[in-house]
Amino acid sequence: MTTPPAGRPHDRDDVEPGIRRFMQRMAEGYAAFPPLASLPLDEVRRITARVREQWGSGGPAMAAREDLQADGVRLRILRPADTVPLPVLVYVHGGGWTLFGLETHDRLMREYAARAGVAVLAVDYSLSPEAKYPRALDETVAAIDWLRTHGAAHGLDPERAAIGGDSAGANLAVASQLRLRGAGQRPLSAMLLNYGVYSDAASASWTRYDGPRYMLEAAEMQGFWHNYLDHDAQRRDPLVMPLLADLHGLPPAFVAIPECDILADGNRAMAAALRRHGVQVEMREYRGATHSFLEAVPVSPLADRALDEAAAWLRGIMAR
């Protein structure tokens, strides 16, 4: 998620051409700045947001957009139509709990809103390392509480609500449902999980897809864990590592797995664990896709297809 690589010069590149083009264009953007590793975190955040601007713009127009605060948490409501009440996708952005926000993921969230016919309630949670675990999780649950208490007044249907996220956002999506279940509250209706991080365990994909040819590197992911956690004992907490959790009673899940991602094995393991605990799972693997590939939708037919498949699944869940 820092500096994406340029493509490999020979013809055996295993990344889909549109996604490779996305990575190359981001690499060109980062080339205009000093190496990110040499910069303070605030500057890294500014640069990564600027480089991603072109991918957060364009795409579907919304009928309405509303920014608000709920118990100190910034939220954004994206409405694809004036129909009320609309079903809702609570969306939690990725970025290793450290980077990104509503603007970097605005296009992706509008794509879901338009394709699935749902409002999106986006959560702009506090970033690490300034806000360590469990702050981002607390704020995600607070957004769900706000939806259930106040959503109807904003034209949202809290009885038809799913949660979704990518990467660290998918981690928070699952953890939020575990937190609700543990508090005796009803989880939401569905989970839309894109290339999530559910464990820090190394695996074959961790080695195979590490390095500058792909989007997310192992050392970078370890750095994100270091930012998020206050101490290593938290690595045994199921709300930090959902693969350690008892997953029974969680809502149906759509699990999107890019083939060329260090987290691919962990996502397969999460899908299998959900099924073992009786959760309905729709798992889709995308050959030639990398971590963050959905953001490449302006140039990638594969990302376009993946968004269509997830949106169709979500529409079906919401229609029940």
PDB file of all heavy atoms in Angstrom, residues 150-167:
ATOM      1  N   HIS A 150     -30.286   6.127  14.793  1.00  0.00           N
ATOM      2  CA  HIS A 150     -30.619   7.345  14.054  1.00  0.00           C
ATOM      3  C   HIS A 150     -30.765   7.144  12.546  1.00  0.00           C
ATOM      4  O   HIS A 150     -31.137   8.090  11.840  1.00  0.00           O
ATOM      5  CB  HIS A 150     -29.534   8.412  14.297  1.00  0.00           C
ATOM      6  CG  HIS A 150     -29.312   8.744  15.737  1.00  0.00           C
ATOM      7  ND1 HIS A 150     -30.216   9.466  16.486  1.00  0.00           N
ATOM      8  CD2 HIS A 150     -28.283   8.434  16.573  1.00  0.00           C
ATOM      9  CE1 HIS A 150     -29.755   9.609  17.722  1.00  0.00           C
ATOM     10  NE2 HIS A 150     -28.597   8.987  17.803  1.00  0.00           N
ATOM     11  N   GLY A 151     -30.454   5.955  12.043  1.00  0.00           N
ATOM     12  CA  GLY A 151     -30.445   5.760  10.596  1.00  0.00           C
ATOM     13  C   GLY A 151     -31.775   6.045   9.930  1.00  0.00           C
ATOM     14  O   GLY A 151     -31.823   6.641   8.836  1.00  0.00           O
ATOM     15  N   ALA A 152     -32.871   5.649  10.548  1.00  0.00           N
ATOM     16  CA  ALA A 152     -34.187   5.844   9.930  1.00  0.00           C
ATOM     17  C   ALA A 152     -34.462   7.314   9.658  1.00  0.00           C
ATOM     18  O   ALA A 152     -35.095   7.666   8.649  1.00  0.00           O
ATOM     19  CB  ALA A 152     -35.278   5.249  10.821  1.00  0.00           C
ATOM     20  N   ALA A 153     -33.986   8.209  10.538  1.00  0.00           N
ATOM     21  CA  ALA A 153     -34.190   9.641  10.342  1.00  0.00           C
ATOM     22  C   ALA A 153     -33.411  10.174   9.140  1.00  0.00           C
ATOM     23  O   ALA A 153     -33.690  11.282   8.659  1.00  0.00           O
ATOM     24  CB  ALA A 153     -33.782  10.406  11.610  1.00  0.00           C
ATOM     25  N   HIS A 154     -32.457   9.395   8.644  1.00  0.00           N
ATOM     26  CA  HIS A 154     -31.665   9.778   7.472  1.00  0.00           C
ATOM     27  C   HIS A 154     -32.032   8.937   6.249  1.00  0.00           C
ATOM     28  O   HIS A 154     -31.264   8.880   5.283  1.00  0.00           O
ATOM     29  CB  HIS A 154     -30.178   9.629   7.792  1.00  0.00           C
ATOM     30  CG  HIS A 154     -29.688  10.592   8.830  1.00  0.00           C
ATOM     31  ND1 HIS A 154     -28.989  11.745   8.523  1.00  0.00           N
ATOM     32  CD2 HIS A 154     -29.831  10.590  10.183  1.00  0.00           C
ATOM     33  CE1 HIS A 154     -28.707  12.403   9.641  1.00  0.00           C
ATOM     34  NE2 HIS A 154     -29.198  11.726  10.661  1.00  0.00           N
ATOM     35  N   GLY A 155     -33.184   8.281   6.302  1.00  0.00           N
ATOM     36  CA  GLY A 155     -33.634   7.502   5.155  1.00  0.00           C
ATOM     37  C   GLY A 155     -32.956   6.171   4.991  1.00  0.00           C
ATOM     38  O   GLY A 155     -32.979   5.582   3.901  1.00  0.00           O
ATOM     39  N   LEU A 156     -32.365   5.640   6.057  1.00  0.00           N
ATOM     40  CA  LEU A 156     -31.657   4.360   6.018  1.00  0.00           C
ATOM     41  C   LEU A 156     -32.473   3.304   6.749  1.00  0.00           C
ATOM     42  O   LEU A 156     -33.138   3.602   7.741  1.00  0.00           O
ATOM     43  CB  LEU A 156     -30.279   4.498   6.666  1.00  0.00           C
ATOM     44  CG  LEU A 156     -29.406   5.646   6.161  1.00  0.00           C
ATOM     45  CD1 LEU A 156     -28.094   5.692   6.944  1.00  0.00           C
ATOM     46  CD2 LEU A 156     -29.139   5.531   4.669  1.00  0.00           C
ATOM     47  N   ASP A 157     -32.403   2.082   6.274  1.00  0.00           N
ATOM     48  CA  ASP A 157     -33.144   0.976   6.886  1.00  0.00           C
ATOM     49  C   ASP A 157     -32.189   0.122   7.710  1.00  0.00           C
ATOM     50  O   ASP A 157     -31.474  -0.724   7.162  1.00  0.00           O
ATOM     51  CB  ASP A 157     -33.808   0.128   5.802  1.00  0.00           C
ATOM     52  CG  ASP A 157     -34.698  -0.969   6.386  1.00  0.00           C
ATOM     53  OD1 ASP A 157     -34.699  -1.139   7.620  1.00  0.00           O
ATOM     54  OD2 ASP A 157     -35.372  -1.653   5.596  1.00  0.00           O
ATOM     55  N   PRO A 158     -32.141   0.295   9.026  1.00  0.00           N
ATOM     56  CA  PRO A 158     -31.198  -0.470   9.843  1.00  0.00           C
ATOM     57  C   PRO A 158     -31.522  -1.954   9.909  1.00  0.00           C
ATOM     58  O   PRO A 158     -30.683  -2.745  10.324  1.00  0.00           O
ATOM     59  CB  PRO A 158     -31.316   0.182  11.224  1.00  0.00           C
ATOM     60  CG  PRO A 158     -32.637   0.858  11.228  1.00  0.00           C
ATOM     61  CD  PRO A 158     -32.918   1.256   9.820  1.00  0.00           C
ATOM     62  N   GLU A 159     -32.742  -2.357   9.478  1.00  0.00           N
ATOM     63  CA  GLU A 159     -33.083  -3.774   9.451  1.00  0.00           C
ATOM     64  C   GLU A 159     -32.526  -4.474   8.222  1.00  0.00           C
ATOM     65  O   GLU A 159     -32.516  -5.699   8.151  1.00  0.00           O
ATOM     66  CB  GLU A 159     -34.603  -3.944   9.514  1.00  0.00           C
ATOM     67  CG  GLU A 159     -35.226  -3.415  10.784  1.00  0.00           C
ATOM     68  CD  GLU A 159     -34.634  -4.065  12.025  1.00  0.00           C
ATOM     69  OE1 GLU A 159     -34.482  -5.304  12.039  1.00  0.00           O
ATOM     70  OE2 GLU A 159     -34.301  -3.326  12.981  1.00  0.00           O
ATOM     71  N   ARG A 160     -32.109  -3.703   7.237  1.00  0.00           N
ATOM     72  CA  ARG A 160     -31.472  -4.263   6.037  1.00  0.00           C
ATOM     73  C   ARG A 160     -30.079  -3.624   5.919  1.00  0.00           C
ATOM     74  O   ARG A 160     -29.856  -2.733   5.119  1.00  0.00           O
ATOM     75  CB  ARG A 160     -32.299  -3.979   4.784  1.00  0.00           C
ATOM     76  CG  ARG A 160     -33.625  -4.711   4.732  1.00  0.00           C
ATOM     77  CD  ARG A 160     -34.334  -4.434   3.415  1.00  0.00           C
ATOM     78  NE  ARG A 160     -34.717  -3.031   3.314  1.00  0.00           N
ATOM     79  CZ  ARG A 160     -34.970  -2.409   2.156  1.00  0.00           C
ATOM     80  NH1 ARG A 160     -34.844  -3.067   1.007  1.00  0.00           N
ATOM     81  NH2 ARG A 160     -35.330  -1.142   2.149  1.00  0.00           N
ATOM     82  N   ALA A 161     -29.173  -4.088   6.754  1.00  0.00           N
ATOM     83  CA  ALA A 161     -27.847  -3.476   6.849  1.00  0.00           C
ATOM     84  C   ALA A 161     -26.766  -4.547   6.822  1.00  0.00           C
ATOM     85  O   ALA A 161     -26.861  -5.552   7.531  1.00  0.00           O
ATOM     86  CB  ALA A 161     -27.731  -2.642   8.119  1.00  0.00           C
ATOM     87  N   ALA A 162     -25.773  -4.321   5.996  1.00  0.00           N
ATOM     88  CA  ALA A 162     -24.597  -5.188   5.911  1.00  0.00           C
ATOM     89  C   ALA A 162     -23.383  -4.385   6.324  1.00  0.00           C
ATOM     90  O   ALA A 162     -23.422  -3.152   6.408  1.00  0.00           O
ATOM     91  CB  ALA A 162     -24.426  -5.708   4.490  1.00  0.00           C
ATOM     92  N   ILE A 163     -22.281  -5.084   6.581  1.00  0.00           N
ATOM     93  CA  ILE A 163     -21.006  -4.410   6.823  1.00  0.00           C
ATOM     94  C   ILE A 163     -19.995  -4.929   5.826  1.00  0.00           C
ATOM     95  O   ILE A 163     -20.018  -6.102   5.434  1.00  0.00           O
ATOM     96  CB  ILE A 163     -20.510  -4.613   8.268  1.00  0.00           C
ATOM     97  CG1 ILE A 163     -19.304  -3.701   8.538  1.00  0.00           C
ATOM     98  CG2 ILE A 163     -20.186  -6.084   8.564  1.00  0.00           C
ATOM     99  CD1 ILE A 163     -19.092  -3.336   9.972  1.00  0.00           C
ATOM    100  N   GLY A 164     -19.140  -4.035   5.359  1.00  0.00           N
ATOM    101  CA  GLY A 164     -18.108  -4.426   4.411  1.00  0.00           C
ATOM    102  C   GLY A 164     -16.823  -3.682   4.669  1.00  0.00           C
ATOM    103  O   GLY A 164     -16.797  -2.683   5.395  1.00  0.00           O
ATOM    104  N   GLY A 165     -15.759  -4.180   4.071  1.00  0.00           N
ATOM    105  CA  GLY A 165     -14.476  -3.514   4.204  1.00  0.00           C
ATOM    106  C   GLY A 165     -13.426  -4.218   3.381  1.00  0.00           C
ATOM    107  O   GLY A 165     -13.616  -5.351   2.933  1.00  0.00           O
ATOM    108  N   ASP A 166     -12.316  -3.533   3.186  1.00  0.00           N
ATOM    109  CA  ASP A 166     -11.188  -4.110   2.468  1.00  0.00           C
ATOM    110  C   ASP A 166      -9.944  -4.075   3.348  1.00  0.00           C
ATOM    111  O   ASP A 166      -9.735  -3.118   4.099  1.00  0.00           O
ATOM    112  CB  ASP A 166     -10.924  -3.356   1.152  1.00  0.00           C
ATOM    113  CG  ASP A 166     -10.693  -1.867   1.358  1.00  0.00           C
ATOM    114  OD1 ASP A 166     -11.690  -1.122   1.484  1.00  0.00           O
ATOM    115  OD2 ASP A 166      -9.524  -1.439   1.401  1.00  0.00           O
ATOM    116  N   SER A 167      -9.165  -5.149   3.300  1.00  0.00           N
ATOM    117  CA  SER A 167      -7.900  -5.244   4.016  1.00  0.00           C
ATOM    118  C   SER A 167      -8.130  -5.054   5.518  1.00  0.00           C
ATOM    119  O   SER A 167      -8.875  -5.806   6.131  1.00  0.00           O
ATOM    120  CB  SER A 167      -6.899  -4.233   3.438  1.00  0.00           C
ATOM    121  OG  SER A 167      -5.589  -4.501   3.858  1.00  0.00           O
TER     122      SER A 167
END
